Amino acid sequence: ILTVGIIKNAHNILVRKMNGKIFITLHCYADPEETIEKSHASASKLKTLIKEKINHIHDVVIHVEPE
């Protein structure tokens, strides 16, 4: 995952499996000049993309940090 919207460079990715369900937590960067709303919208797109591409994902938590 390199770029989705204004979200870049996913890092500190943690994947856990519990009772057959997968939980993902990751950090990524966004342009500090962009609004929080735009950053969260891009993070939501990334979350949807991950859940569409990987089976058995129960939840994805994305922490957006200024670049």
Side-chain angles (χ1 to χ4, degrees), residues 2-51:
L2 294 178
T3 304
V4 172
I6 62 166
I7 300 297
K8 303 183 233 178
N9 300 324
H11 60 282
N12 293 348
I13 300 169
L14 174 65
V15 180
R16 303 177 317 279
K17 187 173 183 181
M18 185 170 33
N19 298 327
K21 296 177 184 176
I22 298 171
F23 298 81
I24 299 174
T25 302
L26 63 91
H27 294 241
C28 56
Y29 295 118
D31 183 342
E33 300 299 318
E34 289 296 345
T35 64
I36 291 172
E37 290 83 9
K38 191 168 182 180
S39 297
H40 285 169
S42 290
S44 290
K45 288 180 188 176
L46 176 57
K47 179 177 181 172
T48 299
L49 180 66
I50 291 169
K51 290 179 91 171

